[in-house]
Amino acid sequence: MTLPPPGTAPMRVLIVDDSAFMRASLRHIVGNTPGFVVAGEATDGLTGVDAIRSLRPDIVTLDIDMPGLDGIGVLKRVRASAAGPPVFIMVSAFTTQGASLTVTALSCGAIDFVPKASEHFKTDLAQVGELLRSKLAIAAAILTGRDRPPMRPAAQIPAAISQPAAPAQSLPPARRSSAAGAPDVVVIASSTGGPQTLPQVLGPACPFKAPIVIAQHIPPVFSRSLADSLAATLGVAVVEAEDGRELSPNTVYLLPGGRNGELVRVRAGVFALRLLDEGTAVYRPNADILFRSAALSARRPVGLILTGMGTDGTEGARALSQRGCPVLVQDPASAVIWGMPRSAIDAGLATEVLDAPGLGQRLAAMVEKSG
């Protein structure tokens, strides 16, 4: 786990939860994580808003379901009024209703979430502790901005797929793509910050004349809620992918949480997804697996790599690159977490590097140029 740099002041964490048991548990976890201290506690949403404004914490762990003002209400109030608000980590119930509210919270600006329960225990403190420490490390990286590359200069969308955007300082040159014609499938890698970023990418591109398949790192239960949220925001069909079902144009498919998926060719121009339970991939749904299968099955696939920690998507992008297919990458400076985009760029696999709306505009331009 990456901790705040040595010699820096500890990150101050505010705990907002109406359960005395959970507040005590979170206090113990945070207090025993090097580089972090508990700045205070709040027992409900309204008290939490006041505490955020008075204590000015670096990080807030925020419960979803609270009396008076819930976690969503807290996010909306703080985001609307505060300059430089803290980083929010949701701590939510592992239920269908809790999943829906958590996805809403992620769309409202929370960076990530920690489920209170697991498949074995109603309240799994071992899991909460392990996950919360990893999320605190992500929050610390966001707040300190370590190794964050500079924003690329603004550039117009290129007129052709093979014309890369202007390179940015400290980023290697974009490679050229030899693909021509409209994409027959789009595959997307997304992780931390994805629920905020995906609407920005898909909004300018949808409805899209080919299936779009997303590998968003997310646990079971939450993926269906994310699909429903995206559908409501975008006004297009967004569904959780089903094993073996043919993919349709103008539809966005989200791989089920915790499961990997491979694209398979059914017949010319028609694809389906084969869902996989086995394998040792650390990140699930795994973008490398999805990208490699697209490189094997599709004629004109396009890959997108968005925000996230780690390197998922890079090896899959290599398979697309070897076929001369476009790999569009989110500008690391615009990503909530820059690890995944930066990995693909450093490997020399990006054909273009753009902010989230620019990626969507580029996808739309690919279709328009093809006629």
Side-chain angles (χ1 to χ4, degrees):
M1 181 178 71
T2 304
L3 299 174
T8 61
M11 294 283 174
R12 301 170 65 252
V13 182
L14 173 67
I15 298 167
V16 183
D17 200 301
D18 65 326
S19 164
F21 171 74
M22 281 306 302
R23 290 196 306 275
S25 300
L26 295 174
R27 185 191 319 129
H28 176 78
I29 293 166
V30 173
N32 286 277
T33 302
F36 301 89
V37 296
V38 176
E41 299 176 22
T43 60
D44 57 62
L46 290 171
T47 306
V49 171
D50 291 338
I52 290 168
R53 291 170 177 167
S54 62
L55 297 176
R56 302 185 65 82
D58 301 302
I59 302 166
V60 177
T61 68
L62 184 59
D63 188 17
I64 289 282
D65 187 14
M66 294 181 292
L69 185 69
D70 65 9
I72 307 299
V74 172
L75 281 170
K76 290 180 177 178
R77 289 200 186 187
V78 173
R79 292 278 161 179
S81 61
V87 173
F88 287 91
I89 302 171
M90 309 309 294
V91 182
S92 69
F94 197 74
T95 65
T96 301
Q97 181 184 11
S100 178
L101 292 171
T102 299
V103 167
T104 301
L106 295 175
S107 301
C108 288
I111 64 148
D112 217 326
F113 66 95
V114 175
K116 289 183 177 179
S118 70
E119 60 182 331
H120 302 294
F121 301 101
K122 184 176 180 180
T123 302
D124 191 337
L125 291 181
Q127 174 180 273
V128 170
E130 179 181 357
L131 289 175
L132 181 56
R133 290 186 181 95
S134 69
K135 309 308 181 186
L136 289 172
I138 291 172
I142 292 172
L143 290 165
T144 58
R146 276 170 287 162
D147 301 325
R148 181 172 289 277
M151 178 74 80
R152 293 166 59 87
Q156 294 182 344
I157 299 300
I161 296 175
S162 60
Q163 179 184 348
Q169 179 186 353
S170 87
L171 298 182
R175 71 170 178 87
R176 293 184 177 271
S177 163
S178 60
D184 54 0
V185 70
V186 175
V187 288
I188 298 179
S190 180
S191 187
T192 303
Q196 302 172 44
T197 304
L198 286 167
Q200 300 173 39
V201 175
L202 297 174
C206 291
F208 195 76
K209 297 179 181 178
I212 296 176
V213 185
I214 302 170
Q216 166 70 47
H217 300 163
I218 202 165
V221 179
F222 292 89
S223 52
R224 178 160 297 179
S225 295
L226 178 57
D228 292 342
S229 174
L230 289 172
T233 300
L234 299 170
V236 300
V238 183
V239 299
E240 194 176 42
E242 298 178 23
D243 184 47
R245 186 165 184 174
E246 291 185 6
L247 307 186
S248 302
N250 304 314
T251 304
V252 178
Y253 296 88
L254 202 68
L255 290 179
R259 299 188 69 182
N260 299 322
E262 291 181 333
L263 193 75
V264 294
R265 182 178 180 272
V266 178
R267 55 186 180 277
V270 178
F271 308 99
L273 282 166
R274 179 188 299 125
L275 299 183
L276 310 171
D277 290 314
E278 72 280 358
T280 58
V282 174
Y283 302 107
R284 296 188 178 207
N286 186 267
D288 283 329
I289 292 173
L290 177 64
F291 279 30
R292 282 194 292 262
S293 67
L296 290 171
S297 303
R299 184 178 179 188
R300 292 185 298 274
V302 175
L304 272 71
I305 298 179
L306 306 181
T307 174
M309 182 170 284
T311 63
D312 191 28
T314 295
E315 289 309 309
R318 195 179 307 281
L320 292 171
S321 175
Q322 289 169 351
R323 283 200 46 209
C325 301
V327 177
L328 312 182
V329 179
Q330 185 176 3
D331 187 330
S334 73
V336 175
I337 297 290
W338 54 260
M340 283 167 48
R342 187 62 193 250
S343 174
I345 293 168
D346 287 347
L349 301 173
T351 51
E352 299 181 46
V353 180
L354 300 162
D355 63 11
L359 293 173
Q361 294 163 23
R362 191 67 191 93
L363 281 178
M366 290 178 176
V367 175
E368 291 167 5
K369 180 174 176 57
S370 72

